[in-house]
Amino acid sequence: MGNRGMEELIPLVNRLQDAFSAIGQACNLDLPQIAVVGGQSAGKSSVLENFVGRDFLPRGSGIVTRRPLVLQLISSTAEWAEFLHCKGKKFTDFDEVRQEIEAETDRVTGANKGISPIPINLRVYSPHVLNLTLIDLPGITKVPVGDQPADIEQQIRDMIMQFICRESCLILAVTPANTDLANSDALKLAKDVDPQGLRTIGVITKLDLMDEGTDARDVLENKLLPLRRGYIGVVNRSQKDIDGRKDIKAALEAERKFFLSHPAYRHMADKMGTPRLQRVLNEQLTNHIRDTLPAFRSKLQSQLLALDKEAEEYRGYRPDDPSRKTKQLLQMVQQFSVDFEKRIEGSGDQVDTVELSGGAKINRIFHERFPFELVKMECDEKEMRREISYAIKNIHGIRTGLFTPDMAFEAIVKKQVIKLKEPCVKCVDMVIQELINTVRQCSNKLECFPRLREETERIVTTHIRDRESRAKEQVLLLIDIQLSYINTNHEDFIGFANAQQRSSQTNKSQGAAGNQVIRKGWLTINNISIMKGGAKEYWFVLTAESLSWFKDDEEKEKKYMLPLDNLKVRDVEKSFMSSKHIFCIFNTESRNVYKDNRTLELACDTQDDVDSWKSSLLRAGVYPEKTVESETTSSTDNFSMDPQLERKVETIRNLVDSYMAIVNKCIRDLMPKTIMHLMINNVKDFINAELLAQLYSAGDQNSLMDESQEQAQRRDEVLRTHQALKEALAIIGDISTTTVTTPMPPPVDTSWMGGSRRSPPPSPTAPRRMSSGQRPAPRGAPPPPNRPGPLGPFNNSAESPQAPSRPNRAPPSIPR
């Protein structure tokens, strides 16, 4: 092997495999190993038993291997076996080994021929073996047996793939010689995960059972379906030999005589047989470990660094120490307070890049959702005029008034102000919900201590609910204050003298705004028919006068421009077939909005995006649709006014618009301030000053700091994994890998199969070789063409850029 250090590579991996299997980490570390793959009755078990020289594997109908068997062969002066799940117990009787494998298999899978990916680790010490580690996988089956599920073939395939898809795993593809090699299940699976054939070693079994007149020489000479690592033929015991308890040593001697006496194989007898296969696998696995060791060491180091900090925290941990619990309680409450404040005030070290939360979401509620809810409460233009006219008539009573009454203005204003209560209370509810969500997010760090987390959430949430009533009382008080006195001397109020000019001034101010850009962003037009391409995403630009969309955000190719005149927004229920949230724009005069569509349905990824776009449309003058009852609509449609009453209504309407603009401005300013003072700031102060005292008064502090079972398991797992990683790195550090070893076999040369004049002719000393089912070709016939077959790059590697052909060289033999 080169030096003692290299000879210890396989035992090294065995020690690592045992260490990490004990902590359930073997599957994550991709330890170098050999996986044995083949169909049922391909002879996998017999090959492994020949390696050991003992009968120790279960036999019977159905799937014999129902759990992966990690078989570690170790050269030793004495002979015994031991299981990882039976530490300290030595098995010298291999019949007991078989019984233990069956019992351990049934313990996990039951006795109904089910399968499981949990491996059984078996270590065999013997003077007749070379250091070798193999994984015996369930045989590929097509038909369920016993109580096996209907998808047993897919389950077995998935289990095999878990092992052979790893780059650190060599694949021992076992195929019987009496079947067509092109249909080999093992080679097909190997080709799927190792298309270049870098990790696949072929094994041909049952050479003695081929039809008379046929042989597998072309396969074993690596000519029919070439593999980069080549093929090795073996002859196993027949079922009659197994039933008759034929000695494996005698079987190995019979195998050697078979190869020496067979005319098709005697020229390669020294490269065939179980001992040769064992030596080749030992050499290949050692080289493979050597090649993968640097990457494996790097992976171990990265995992060790990732666990260093957490392991250091756990190392001095004493669960029952009262002083530790008190100190940790203080730290946890302090951390909760800091996290809550950072989520509300904003911080650079806890930035959520997925969605808005905490203070950012509350800010959106204050400045987008709340103004939108206020506008939704406003009266429709026709509804407003109707209410003003009725108010004027009812105030005059039986008399015909000559002047516009002040009381009509005050009655309408108070009615409008009362409508503000609903959006104000809704704003408080939305803020409270976000505060509670923030508390839950911050308490995630307390999940190690379930009782502490539960008590913290209960105490803070109870305080938030207590403040809710105070905040709503204050908000309603603000509305009542506005109702108590209508201040017509406000500096922003237009007064009766200017009421007539209100409409013209409004139009001029809107015209002066120009085409100011209000918002840009991606939206999906949802109601395009499938015949016209279906829903598409466009870049939208909203200005004070129009809504335009473009092909992309470069805004070079404009698709459409929609004027905002007479447009309104309507909510659309989310379809169960769509993951997007939808709203639509329509024309109040029942005109088509976009081409042949009466509405333009626009879709966003989240409801927050929908609310934000509706708020932007609100700024552009596109208001939400008002729901008016049918009775009101009918009375409005039949409503008419004389010119004198119409002038009074117009005056009152302008006065109401002016005063409500003042009230809305005041409410929009005071609501965030009130909620901040009575709710948000108060909750922050409560958490900082009183949460700890409330926790102490809630009960036994020691019980609060009882950690969860999951946390205890996590701590133990981290400490054990950290220690195992350190030991593994120490073990690897002691191994010398500076040695000369057999390199990776070169790419297979298949140029001789293409009919070249320089190609070597077939051997005249033996008949044409073929798999079972092929008809013999006449002596002297030309060699078969290089068929692609089902194995793809396996037999075309010479044509790949990484594998230049060598036309003057014979196909490479298997490395010694």
Short mmCIF file of all heavy atoms in Angstrom, two decimals, residues 586-629:
data_model
loop_
_atom_site.label_atom_id
_atom_site.label_comp_id
_atom_site.label_asym_id
_atom_site.label_seq_id
_atom_site.Cartn_x
_atom_site.Cartn_y
_atom_site.Cartn_z
N PHE A 586 -62.44 50.31 -12.14
CA PHE A 586 -63.56 50.36 -13.08
C PHE A 586 -63.98 51.81 -13.31
O PHE A 586 -63.64 52.71 -12.54
CB PHE A 586 -64.75 49.54 -12.56
CG PHE A 586 -65.39 50.10 -11.33
CD1 PHE A 586 -66.54 50.90 -11.41
CD2 PHE A 586 -64.84 49.85 -10.07
CE1 PHE A 586 -67.12 51.41 -10.27
CE2 PHE A 586 -65.43 50.36 -8.93
CZ PHE A 586 -66.56 51.14 -9.02
N ASN A 587 -64.74 52.03 -14.38
CA ASN A 587 -65.23 53.36 -14.74
C ASN A 587 -66.63 53.54 -14.19
O ASN A 587 -67.49 52.68 -14.36
CB ASN A 587 -65.21 53.53 -16.27
CG ASN A 587 -65.40 54.97 -16.69
OD1 ASN A 587 -66.45 55.56 -16.44
ND2 ASN A 587 -64.38 55.54 -17.32
N THR A 588 -66.86 54.67 -13.52
CA THR A 588 -68.18 54.91 -12.91
C THR A 588 -69.27 55.13 -13.95
O THR A 588 -70.46 55.03 -13.64
CB THR A 588 -68.11 56.14 -12.00
OG1 THR A 588 -67.63 57.27 -12.74
CG2 THR A 588 -67.17 55.89 -10.83
N GLU A 589 -68.87 55.38 -15.20
CA GLU A 589 -69.86 55.60 -16.26
C GLU A 589 -70.06 54.34 -17.10
O GLU A 589 -70.58 54.41 -18.23
CB GLU A 589 -69.41 56.76 -17.15
CG GLU A 589 -69.32 58.08 -16.39
CD GLU A 589 -68.85 59.22 -17.28
OE1 GLU A 589 -68.50 58.94 -18.46
OE2 GLU A 589 -68.83 60.37 -16.82
N SER A 590 -69.63 53.19 -16.56
CA SER A 590 -69.82 51.88 -17.19
C SER A 590 -69.14 51.77 -18.55
O SER A 590 -69.60 51.04 -19.43
CB SER A 590 -71.32 51.56 -17.34
OG SER A 590 -71.94 51.53 -16.08
N ARG A 591 -68.06 52.49 -18.75
CA ARG A 591 -67.28 52.37 -19.98
C ARG A 591 -66.19 51.31 -19.81
O ARG A 591 -65.83 50.96 -18.70
CB ARG A 591 -66.64 53.71 -20.33
CG ARG A 591 -67.65 54.82 -20.62
CD ARG A 591 -66.92 56.11 -20.93
NE ARG A 591 -67.85 57.20 -21.19
CZ ARG A 591 -67.48 58.46 -21.41
NH1 ARG A 591 -66.18 58.77 -21.36
NH2 ARG A 591 -68.38 59.39 -21.65
N ASN A 592 -65.71 50.83 -20.97
CA ASN A 592 -64.60 49.88 -20.91
C ASN A 592 -63.35 50.59 -20.40
O ASN A 592 -63.04 51.71 -20.83
CB ASN A 592 -64.32 49.29 -22.30
CG ASN A 592 -65.42 48.36 -22.75
OD1 ASN A 592 -66.21 47.89 -21.94
ND2 ASN A 592 -65.50 48.10 -24.04
N VAL A 593 -62.66 49.92 -19.52
CA VAL A 593 -61.45 50.50 -18.95
C VAL A 593 -60.23 50.15 -19.80
O VAL A 593 -59.39 51.00 -20.10
CB VAL A 593 -61.24 50.00 -17.50
CG1 VAL A 593 -59.94 50.53 -16.92
CG2 VAL A 593 -62.40 50.43 -16.62
N TYR A 594 -60.13 48.88 -20.18
CA TYR A 594 -58.96 48.41 -20.92
C TYR A 594 -59.43 47.50 -22.05
O TYR A 594 -59.95 46.42 -21.80
CB TYR A 594 -58.02 47.67 -19.98
CG TYR A 594 -56.84 47.00 -20.65
CD1 TYR A 594 -55.98 47.73 -21.47
CD2 TYR A 594 -56.59 45.65 -20.47
CE1 TYR A 594 -54.91 47.13 -22.08
CE2 TYR A 594 -55.50 45.03 -21.08
CZ TYR A 594 -54.67 45.77 -21.89
OH TYR A 594 -53.60 45.19 -22.50
N LYS A 595 -59.29 47.99 -23.28
CA LYS A 595 -59.73 47.26 -24.46
C LYS A 595 -61.20 46.87 -24.31
O LYS A 595 -62.06 47.71 -24.14
CB LYS A 595 -58.82 46.06 -24.70
CG LYS A 595 -57.38 46.46 -25.01
CD LYS A 595 -56.51 45.27 -25.34
CE LYS A 595 -55.09 45.73 -25.68
NZ LYS A 595 -54.19 44.61 -25.99
N ASP A 596 -61.49 45.55 -24.31
CA ASP A 596 -62.89 45.09 -24.22
C ASP A 596 -63.31 44.81 -22.79
O ASP A 596 -64.38 44.24 -22.57
CB ASP A 596 -63.08 43.83 -25.07
CG ASP A 596 -62.81 44.08 -26.54
OD1 ASP A 596 -63.01 45.23 -26.96
OD2 ASP A 596 -62.40 43.14 -27.24
N ASN A 597 -62.49 45.17 -21.81
CA ASN A 597 -62.78 44.83 -20.42
C ASN A 597 -63.41 46.00 -19.68
O ASN A 597 -62.90 47.13 -19.72
CB ASN A 597 -61.48 44.42 -19.71
CG ASN A 597 -60.83 43.21 -20.36
OD1 ASN A 597 -61.48 42.20 -20.59
ND2 ASN A 597 -59.55 43.31 -20.66
N ARG A 598 -64.51 45.69 -18.97
CA ARG A 598 -65.17 46.71 -18.15
C ARG A 598 -64.36 47.04 -16.91
O ARG A 598 -64.50 48.11 -16.34
CB ARG A 598 -66.57 46.24 -17.75
CG ARG A 598 -67.57 46.21 -18.90
CD ARG A 598 -67.84 47.63 -19.40
NE ARG A 598 -68.79 47.67 -20.48
CZ ARG A 598 -70.09 47.86 -20.30
NH1 ARG A 598 -70.57 47.99 -19.07
NH2 ARG A 598 -70.91 47.90 -21.33
N THR A 599 -63.56 46.07 -16.46
CA THR A 599 -62.72 46.29 -15.27
C THR A 599 -61.29 45.89 -15.60
O THR A 599 -61.04 45.09 -16.51
CB THR A 599 -63.21 45.46 -14.08
OG1 THR A 599 -63.11 44.07 -14.39
CG2 THR A 599 -64.63 45.82 -13.70
N LEU A 600 -60.36 46.45 -14.85
CA LEU A 600 -58.95 46.08 -14.96
C LEU A 600 -58.55 45.45 -13.64
O LEU A 600 -58.42 46.13 -12.62
CB LEU A 600 -58.09 47.33 -15.25
CG LEU A 600 -56.59 47.08 -15.36
CD1 LEU A 600 -56.27 46.23 -16.58
CD2 LEU A 600 -55.82 48.41 -15.44
N GLU A 601 -58.38 44.12 -13.64
CA GLU A 601 -58.02 43.40 -12.42
C GLU A 601 -56.50 43.38 -12.27
O GLU A 601 -55.78 42.94 -13.16
CB GLU A 601 -58.55 41.96 -12.45
CG GLU A 601 -60.06 41.87 -12.34
CD GLU A 601 -60.52 40.44 -12.17
OE1 GLU A 601 -59.65 39.55 -12.06
OE2 GLU A 601 -61.75 40.21 -12.15
N LEU A 602 -56.03 43.89 -11.13
CA LEU A 602 -54.60 43.97 -10.85
C LEU A 602 -54.28 43.09 -9.65
O LEU A 602 -55.01 43.11 -8.65
CB LEU A 602 -54.18 45.42 -10.57
CG LEU A 602 -54.49 46.41 -11.71
CD1 LEU A 602 -54.16 47.82 -11.29
CD2 LEU A 602 -53.73 46.04 -12.97
N ALA A 603 -53.21 42.32 -9.72
CA ALA A 603 -52.87 41.35 -8.68
C ALA A 603 -51.51 41.66 -8.07
O ALA A 603 -50.59 42.07 -8.77
CB ALA A 603 -52.88 39.93 -9.25
N CYS A 604 -51.42 41.46 -6.74
CA CYS A 604 -50.18 41.64 -5.99
C CYS A 604 -49.88 40.35 -5.23
O CYS A 604 -50.75 39.51 -5.03
CB CYS A 604 -50.29 42.80 -4.99
SG CYS A 604 -50.71 44.39 -5.74
N ASP A 605 -48.64 40.22 -4.77
CA ASP A 605 -48.24 39.02 -4.04
C ASP A 605 -48.82 38.98 -2.63
O ASP A 605 -49.10 37.91 -2.10
CB ASP A 605 -46.71 38.92 -3.97
CG ASP A 605 -46.10 38.62 -5.33
OD1 ASP A 605 -46.79 37.98 -6.14
OD2 ASP A 605 -44.96 39.04 -5.58
N THR A 606 -48.99 40.15 -1.98
CA THR A 606 -49.47 40.19 -0.60
C THR A 606 -50.59 41.21 -0.46
O THR A 606 -50.73 42.11 -1.28
CB THR A 606 -48.33 40.57 0.37
OG1 THR A 606 -47.89 41.90 0.09
CG2 THR A 606 -47.14 39.62 0.22
N GLN A 607 -51.36 41.07 0.63
CA GLN A 607 -52.43 42.02 0.91
C GLN A 607 -51.85 43.39 1.26
O GLN A 607 -52.46 44.42 0.96
CB GLN A 607 -53.28 41.50 2.07
CG GLN A 607 -54.51 42.35 2.39
CD GLN A 607 -55.46 42.48 1.22
OE1 GLN A 607 -55.75 41.51 0.53
NE2 GLN A 607 -55.95 43.69 0.97
N ASP A 608 -50.66 43.42 1.86
CA ASP A 608 -50.02 44.69 2.18
C ASP A 608 -49.73 45.48 0.90
O ASP A 608 -49.89 46.71 0.87
CB ASP A 608 -48.70 44.46 2.94
CG ASP A 608 -48.95 44.07 4.38
OD1 ASP A 608 -50.07 44.30 4.88
OD2 ASP A 608 -48.04 43.51 5.02
N ASP A 609 -49.30 44.79 -0.16
CA ASP A 609 -49.05 45.47 -1.43
C ASP A 609 -50.35 46.02 -2.01
O ASP A 609 -50.37 47.12 -2.59
CB ASP A 609 -48.41 44.50 -2.43
CG ASP A 609 -46.98 44.14 -2.04
OD1 ASP A 609 -46.37 44.92 -1.29
OD2 ASP A 609 -46.49 43.08 -2.48
N VAL A 610 -51.44 45.27 -1.88
CA VAL A 610 -52.74 45.75 -2.36
C VAL A 610 -53.14 47.02 -1.61
O VAL A 610 -53.53 48.03 -2.23
CB VAL A 610 -53.82 44.66 -2.17
CG1 VAL A 610 -55.21 45.23 -2.45
CG2 VAL A 610 -53.55 43.47 -3.08
N ASP A 611 -53.02 47.02 -0.29
CA ASP A 611 -53.38 48.20 0.50
C ASP A 611 -52.51 49.39 0.14
O ASP A 611 -52.98 50.53 0.08
CB ASP A 611 -53.24 47.88 2.00
CG ASP A 611 -54.22 46.82 2.46
OD1 ASP A 611 -55.27 46.66 1.79
OD2 ASP A 611 -53.95 46.14 3.47
N SER A 612 -51.24 49.14 -0.11
CA SER A 612 -50.34 50.23 -0.46
C SER A 612 -50.69 50.84 -1.81
O SER A 612 -50.68 52.06 -1.98
CB SER A 612 -48.89 49.71 -0.47
OG SER A 612 -47.99 50.76 -0.70
N TRP A 613 -51.01 49.99 -2.79
CA TRP A 613 -51.39 50.51 -4.10
C TRP A 613 -52.72 51.27 -4.02
O TRP A 613 -52.89 52.32 -4.67
CB TRP A 613 -51.52 49.36 -5.11
CG TRP A 613 -50.24 49.09 -5.84
CD1 TRP A 613 -49.37 48.09 -5.62
CD2 TRP A 613 -49.69 49.85 -6.93
NE1 TRP A 613 -48.30 48.16 -6.47
CE2 TRP A 613 -48.48 49.23 -7.30
CE3 TRP A 613 -50.11 50.98 -7.61
CZ2 TRP A 613 -47.67 49.72 -8.33
CZ3 TRP A 613 -49.32 51.47 -8.65
CH2 TRP A 613 -48.12 50.86 -9.00
N LYS A 614 -53.67 50.77 -3.25
CA LYS A 614 -54.96 51.48 -3.12
C LYS A 614 -54.75 52.83 -2.44
O LYS A 614 -55.42 53.80 -2.78
CB LYS A 614 -55.94 50.61 -2.33
CG LYS A 614 -56.42 49.39 -3.09
CD LYS A 614 -57.67 48.76 -2.52
CE LYS A 614 -57.46 48.19 -1.15
NZ LYS A 614 -58.65 47.43 -0.67
N SER A 615 -53.82 52.89 -1.50
CA SER A 615 -53.51 54.16 -0.85
C SER A 615 -52.89 55.14 -1.85
O SER A 615 -53.20 56.34 -1.84
CB SER A 615 -52.56 53.93 0.32
OG SER A 615 -52.22 55.14 0.94
N SER A 616 -52.02 54.64 -2.73
CA SER A 616 -51.41 55.50 -3.74
C SER A 616 -52.45 55.98 -4.74
O SER A 616 -52.44 57.15 -5.16
CB SER A 616 -50.30 54.75 -4.47
OG SER A 616 -49.28 54.36 -3.57
N LEU A 617 -53.36 55.07 -5.14
CA LEU A 617 -54.45 55.49 -6.04
C LEU A 617 -55.34 56.54 -5.39
O LEU A 617 -55.85 57.44 -6.05
CB LEU A 617 -55.27 54.26 -6.44
CG LEU A 617 -54.60 53.29 -7.42
CD1 LEU A 617 -55.36 51.97 -7.48
CD2 LEU A 617 -54.53 53.91 -8.82
N LEU A 618 -55.50 56.42 -4.08
CA LEU A 618 -56.29 57.40 -3.33
C LEU A 618 -55.66 58.79 -3.45
O LEU A 618 -56.35 59.79 -3.63
CB LEU A 618 -56.37 56.97 -1.87
CG LEU A 618 -57.24 57.81 -0.94
CD1 LEU A 618 -58.69 57.77 -1.38
CD2 LEU A 618 -57.12 57.30 0.48
N ARG A 619 -54.32 58.86 -3.35
CA ARG A 619 -53.62 60.14 -3.49
C ARG A 619 -53.80 60.72 -4.89
O ARG A 619 -53.77 61.94 -5.08
CB ARG A 619 -52.13 59.96 -3.21
CG ARG A 619 -51.82 59.67 -1.75
CD ARG A 619 -50.35 59.32 -1.57
NE ARG A 619 -49.48 60.34 -2.13
CZ ARG A 619 -48.18 60.16 -2.41
NH1 ARG A 619 -47.64 58.97 -2.17
NH2 ARG A 619 -47.46 61.14 -2.91
N ALA A 620 -53.97 59.82 -5.88
CA ALA A 620 -54.17 60.28 -7.26
C ALA A 620 -55.62 60.61 -7.56
O ALA A 620 -55.94 60.99 -8.69
CB ALA A 620 -53.68 59.21 -8.23
N GLY A 621 -56.50 60.45 -6.57
CA GLY A 621 -57.91 60.79 -6.76
C GLY A 621 -58.78 59.64 -7.19
O GLY A 621 -59.95 59.83 -7.54
N VAL A 622 -58.26 58.41 -7.18
CA VAL A 622 -59.07 57.24 -7.52
C VAL A 622 -59.56 56.65 -6.20
O VAL A 622 -58.81 56.01 -5.46
CB VAL A 622 -58.24 56.20 -8.30
CG1 VAL A 622 -59.10 54.99 -8.64
CG2 VAL A 622 -57.67 56.82 -9.56
N TYR A 623 -60.85 56.89 -5.89
CA TYR A 623 -61.40 56.55 -4.59
C TYR A 623 -62.02 55.16 -4.60
O TYR A 623 -62.40 54.64 -5.66
CB TYR A 623 -62.46 57.59 -4.18
CG TYR A 623 -61.87 58.93 -3.86
CD1 TYR A 623 -61.69 59.89 -4.85
CD2 TYR A 623 -61.47 59.24 -2.56
CE1 TYR A 623 -61.13 61.12 -4.56
CE2 TYR A 623 -60.91 60.46 -2.26
CZ TYR A 623 -60.74 61.40 -3.27
OH TYR A 623 -60.19 62.61 -2.97
N PRO A 624 -62.16 54.54 -3.43
CA PRO A 624 -62.82 53.23 -3.37
C PRO A 624 -64.30 53.33 -3.66
O PRO A 624 -64.93 54.37 -3.42
CB PRO A 624 -62.55 52.77 -1.93
CG PRO A 624 -62.31 54.03 -1.17
CD PRO A 624 -61.66 54.98 -2.11
N GLU A 625 -64.87 52.24 -4.13
CA GLU A 625 -66.29 52.18 -4.45
C GLU A 625 -67.12 52.26 -3.17
O GLU A 625 -66.78 51.66 -2.15
CB GLU A 625 -66.58 50.88 -5.19
CG GLU A 625 -68.04 50.70 -5.54
CD GLU A 625 -68.33 49.33 -6.13
OE1 GLU A 625 -67.54 48.40 -5.85
OE2 GLU A 625 -69.31 49.20 -6.87
N LYS A 626 -68.20 53.02 -3.21
CA LYS A 626 -69.12 53.11 -2.08
C LYS A 626 -70.26 52.13 -2.29
O LYS A 626 -70.84 52.05 -3.37
CB LYS A 626 -69.70 54.53 -1.95
CG LYS A 626 -68.65 55.60 -1.73
CD LYS A 626 -67.99 55.44 -0.39
CE LYS A 626 -67.10 56.62 -0.05
NZ LYS A 626 -66.08 56.91 -1.04
N THR A 627 -70.58 51.37 -1.28
CA THR A 627 -71.71 50.43 -1.34
C THR A 627 -72.95 51.16 -0.87
O THR A 627 -73.05 51.58 0.28
CB THR A 627 -71.45 49.21 -0.46
OG1 THR A 627 -71.16 49.65 0.87
CG2 THR A 627 -70.26 48.43 -0.99
N VAL A 628 -73.92 51.33 -1.75
CA VAL A 628 -75.16 52.06 -1.44
C VAL A 628 -76.32 51.09 -1.55
O VAL A 628 -76.43 50.33 -2.52
CB VAL A 628 -75.36 53.25 -2.41
CG1 VAL A 628 -76.59 54.04 -2.02
CG2 VAL A 628 -74.13 54.14 -2.41
N GLU A 629 -77.18 51.08 -0.57
CA GLU A 629 -78.32 50.18 -0.57
C GLU A 629 -79.28 50.54 -1.68
O GLU A 629 -79.36 51.68 -2.13
CB GLU A 629 -79.04 50.24 0.78
CG GLU A 629 -78.16 49.76 1.93
CD GLU A 629 -78.90 49.83 3.24
OE1 GLU A 629 -80.07 50.23 3.21
OE2 GLU A 629 -78.31 49.48 4.27
#
